[in-house]
Amino acid sequence: MNEKELEVLRIVEENARVDFNTLAKMVDLKEDEVKSILKKLEQNKVILNYSAVIDWSKVDISEPVTAMIDVKVAPKRGVGFDEVAERIYRFPEVKALYLMSGAYDLQVVIEGKTMHEIARFVSEKLSSIDSVLSTTTHFQLKKYKHDGVVFEEGEEDRRIVVTP
């Protein structure tokens, strides 16, 4: 991968909505060259998706419940963690899945409408997989920063400082 392709990747990762003309000027290439680079990166599955970061707390619907589930797994000979990971990431509730170091092997990020829905997922779907030995579920209470985007910048404290 050449330096211009890396430069395009970095810019698109920061702002996927940048138009071709602006992007071309930023990397000092022609618009057609930038389109060609992006097409190549998409075809080679370097760019997998373009997404938006949304603050659901500001939308007039009930905010989804997000949970991070740490999973201890008995790896299988010859396939390690890959086979059980594939079974887990196929569930539509699963938004992300990571192989981790430390006390747990996998971290599963899921979304549901309620905490009860997530509890059902853990007890009925995740825990029933043969290789899963144990789970620990953590519920997300508030989002401060996600994908480099800060939610609700803190307002300046305007209270008068009182000292003895």
Side-chain angles (χ1 to χ4, degrees):
M1 185 167 296
N2 67 41
E3 193 58 40
K4 290 294 182 182
E5 291 170 338
L6 287 172
E7 200 174 347
V8 168
L9 275 178
R10 288 185 186 106
I11 293 168
V12 171
E13 181 180 36
E14 184 69 30
N15 179 8
R17 292 188 59 171
V18 64
D19 64 83
F20 294 121
N21 186 32
T22 304
L23 184 54
K25 288 177 184 173
M26 291 172 81
V27 296
D28 195 29
L29 291 173
K30 295 179 182 165
E31 197 171 322
D32 291 348
E33 293 173 307
V34 167
K35 287 179 183 178
S36 175
I37 287 172
L38 287 171
K39 184 176 181 178
K40 174 186 164 192
L41 293 170
E42 290 167 359
Q43 287 173 339
N44 291 339
K45 300 210 182 287
V46 175
I47 296 176
L48 299 174
N49 192 11
Y50 298 92
S51 63
V53 177
I54 298 168
D55 187 351
W56 286 106
S57 68
K58 294 182 179 173
V59 180
D60 290 337
I61 62 167
S62 62
E63 194 173 346
V65 177
T66 302
M68 282 70 71
I69 306 164
D70 296 327
V71 183
K72 195 171 284 194
V73 176
K76 291 188 176 180
R77 185 178 301 261
V79 293
F81 298 102
D82 294 345
E83 187 177 283
V84 69
E86 185 176 344
R87 283 194 64 194
I88 294 170
Y89 72 60
R90 291 189 181 280
F91 291 116
E93 300 92 337
V94 175
K95 299 299 173 196
L97 176 62
Y98 307 100
L99 178 63
M100 306 295 288
S101 65
Y104 290 90
D105 304 305
L106 299 173
Q107 183 176 62
V108 184
V109 180
I110 69 166
E111 279 186 2
K113 293 178 183 164
T114 64
M115 291 173 84
H116 182 70
E117 188 176 291
I118 290 173
R120 253 193 350 266
F121 171 83
V122 173
S123 64
E124 295 173 7
K125 295 180 180 179
L126 190 58
S127 295
S128 65
I129 297 172
D130 290 336
S131 299
V132 172
L133 302 174
S134 66
T135 64
T136 302
T137 303
H138 310 275
F139 288 96
Q140 178 182 304
L141 302 177
K142 183 175 181 179
K143 198 179 287 189
Y144 293 100
K145 185 175 181 178
H146 181 77
D147 283 347
V149 178
V150 175
F151 289 67
E152 296 187 36
E153 292 276 351
E155 292 183 21
E156 185 180 325
D157 189 355
R158 296 178 181 221
R159 295 179 290 178
I160 297 173
V161 176
V162 178
T163 57

